[in-house]
Amino acid sequence: MLDRLALRLVKPAVDGAALQLSKRGITADQVTLAGFGLGMLAAVLVASGHSLLAIIPLIANRALDGIDGALARLSTASERGAFLDISLDFVFYAAIPLAFGIAVPEDNALAAAVLLAAFVV
């Protein structure tokens, strides 16, 4: 329910950003890879104890994850691109709980392990 409301609010900005990137010749795969890099930076920051600082690249990762799909829809979306996107998303989804487990294992390791197990199951 909230997803539909949130999507309706951000869709114009996402579509506008995708259009601007498309005009500059930037591809959806490039945006996917940039977003992944930012997501991994967020994970490194969390693992090294800088969780608050990690919010910035984490939010950028999520924004680029929305933009890459909109950008792909402006051109010819490919199965390869969709596979790249979902694969890197899952690496990111696993990296963040793992990073919290690494940062403070005595407090976070069990929760990180349960969350990672839930992803697999």
Side-chain angles (χ1 to χ4, degrees):
M1 182 169 113
L2 291 177
D3 286 349
R4 277 187 258 176
L5 175 62
L7 183 59
R8 191 174 24 218
L9 292 174
V10 299
K11 188 172 178 9
V14 167
D15 289 346
L19 185 60
Q20 292 304 312
L21 291 171
S22 177
K23 287 179 182 177
R24 289 173 175 72
I26 295 171
T27 68
D29 287 352
Q30 289 170 325
V31 173
T32 296
L33 291 169
F36 178 71
L38 288 166
M40 292 303 96
L41 174 60
V44 168
L45 288 168
V46 168
S48 62
H50 302 285
S51 298
L52 287 177
L53 188 57
I55 292 171
I56 296 165
L58 192 144
I59 290 171
N61 164 278
R62 297 292 72 213
L64 291 177
D65 188 50
I67 292 169
D68 66 0
L71 188 54
R73 287 185 291 278
L74 290 174
S75 62
T76 304
S78 71
E79 288 184 21
R80 186 197 51 78
F83 180 77
L84 177 69
D85 180 48
I86 194 66
S87 297
L88 295 182
D89 282 349
F90 276 108
V91 172
F92 165 74
Y93 297 151
I96 295 298
L98 179 61
F100 278 103
I102 291 168
V104 188
E106 59 277 6
D107 292 339
N108 299 334
L110 179 60
V114 169
L115 185 55
L116 289 170
F119 288 159
V120 173
V121 173

